[in-house]
Amino acid sequence: MSVVRLPGMSGSREWVYPQSIHGAFTSVRRWTFLLLHAALFVAPWITVRGHPMVLLDLPHRRVHLMGAIYTPSDTIFLVLLLLFLAFSLFFFTAIFGRIWCGYACPQTVFLESWIRPLEQWTEGDRTRRKRRDAQGLSLDKAWRKIVKWAAFLGVSLLLGMAMTSLFAGARPLWTGQASAASYAFVAIFSALWFVDFVWFREQFCIFLCPYARFQSALTDEETLLISYDTKRGEPRGPKRGPEGGCIACQKCVVVCPQGIDIRDGFQLECIQCARCVDACESVMSRFDQPTLVRYSSIAADEGRESRPLRPRTLVYGGMLTALTAAAVVLVLARVPFEASVNRAPGSLYTEDADGFVRNTYLLRITNNEPSELPVEYDIAIDGLDRAEVTAVPVRLAPEQTVTLPLIVRLPREAANRRTVPFTVRVASPTAELLLPTTFKTGASLGGQDD
Ligand code: SF4
Ligand code: SF4
């Protein structure tokens, strides 16, 4: 009977069958996974003062975060956020190595939380999975694969919905009221996750992820790494000798989701998930010995000190502090509405019959106040003595934008320059914006240009 090759069953790729593992680091990772799932699945449903706690509203070019609304005029916050994330990655990588990969990367989080348990549930433990995949197609194998992939598809759809909720809003998306484009994004995200779960898996870390490539530039000899204690472990052998502690049980190898042997030294493929630490801990505890695979650094292995504070981490930490301080200052000084003033199209100035010169503007105001109540705005001008201002009262609902005419009139005898700068003042109960513009009187009045 010919053998039907299903994805991951053979070919040039060596399929990885990680054995399940329990231990202290696995428990810590469960907690970080739980927190990240809460952030993804729960946060889009929470509202703060009537606004989504987190929503990247791309069609309306708005970002909702913790009840505040950020618009393109707040681009500085986006720049600060990206810089903060970049320096956080540098800082934590310099101290803890690839802690992101092992504890927080979505690829790791979803594979460990959903895919490996589902695989174990449908196809059994590592030995059974490996043996069955090496055999030809059978009814037993087929139904298990079908059930497993159906479950993966369900998880992929769930993740696609959760990710798109961040852009389309959880309520409209899950109640079928979001746009067709939103559901197209669900389909794209779900398809990508499904391919990753069924086939790509650890290859993403090895071949695609840029972080794995530049991590060596971010670490040094004092960075924490997961490594094998060669001095205590070697020479390895099936029996614990007087010198070598490693009993060559291979447990640290069979639990590795990247398919590597940590005893071969530092490898690019290692995502520092610490599964091998828990594995060796469980073996060595039987001999009342500390684990041979542990968090350490090159410096510590050579008997030198590992300092968390060193030039590299001080620079990154200093940048993080400065970025945080800048963000706090800007948030405190932030005006929770947007306003702009432009001259009305086709009108420079008009001479009225009653001896006034009139300029007409269009004033645009957007209410970004983090409140469910409407907000009233006062409009006034500064810098034009004896001017008359005509503007309708403005009362805006949350997130409402309005464009209204603003008419400014100046007695002809006061208009002694061709262009007079002045300021439009827009004030809400909590903040004020000053918009500089100019008043045109015209050369026909015989004035001097400024
Ligand atoms: S070597 Fe250890 S820490 Fe690295 S990926 Fe494998 S199990 Fe995780
Ligand atoms: S788990 Fe520990 S004892 Fe077993 S092979 Fe790995 S390093 Fe050696």
Side-chain angles (χ1 to χ4, degrees), residues 198-272:
V198 168
W199 171 65
F200 210 52
R201 300 201 185 181
E202 76 282 355
Q203 297 181 105
F204 184 89
C205 313
I206 297 167
F207 300 119
L208 278 192
C209 179
Y211 176 52
R213 303 269 162 270
F214 67 74
Q215 58 156 330
S216 56
L218 302 175
T219 56
D220 53 33
E221 295 195 342
E222 295 176 57
T223 300
L224 271 186
L225 299 170
I226 287 177
S227 62
Y228 168 64
D229 189 341
T230 316
K231 280 192 202 125
R232 283 182 47 235
E234 298 297 315
R236 68 187 80 155
K239 288 204 175 129
R240 278 177 60 78
E243 290 132 23
C246 174
I247 58 168
C249 64
Q250 301 294 98
K251 192 142 185 196
C252 56
V253 181
V254 296
V255 297
C256 179
Q258 300 297 98
I260 58 174
D261 184 343
I262 192 67
R263 296 170 301 171
D264 294 342
F266 175 76
Q267 289 149 85
L268 183 78
E269 292 87 343
C270 177
I271 57 168
Q272 290 197 27

Side-chain angles (χ1 to χ4, degrees), residues 108-123:
T108 305
V109 172
F110 300 143
L111 276 173
E112 295 286 323
S113 308
W114 297 92
I115 300 311
R116 299 205 203 290
L118 281 171
E119 201 156 58
Q120 172 111 355
W121 177 61
T122 50
E123 296 190 309

Side-chain angles (χ1 to χ4, degrees), residues 11 62 102 112 148 174 254 256 289 324 335 347 349 385 441 449:
R62 275 193 299 243
E112 295 286 323
K148 180 177 88 168
W174 288 87
V254 296
C256 179
Q289 290 291 315
T324 308
V335 175
S347 92
Y349 68 92
D385 289 343
T441 60
D449 208 346

Side-chain angles (χ1 to χ4, degrees), residues 6 51 76 194 227 241 270 292 366-367 433 437:
L6 293 171
H51 298 280
I76 182 69
F194 185 68
S227 62
C270 177
L292 296 169
T366 302
N367 176 12
L433 268 181
T437 185

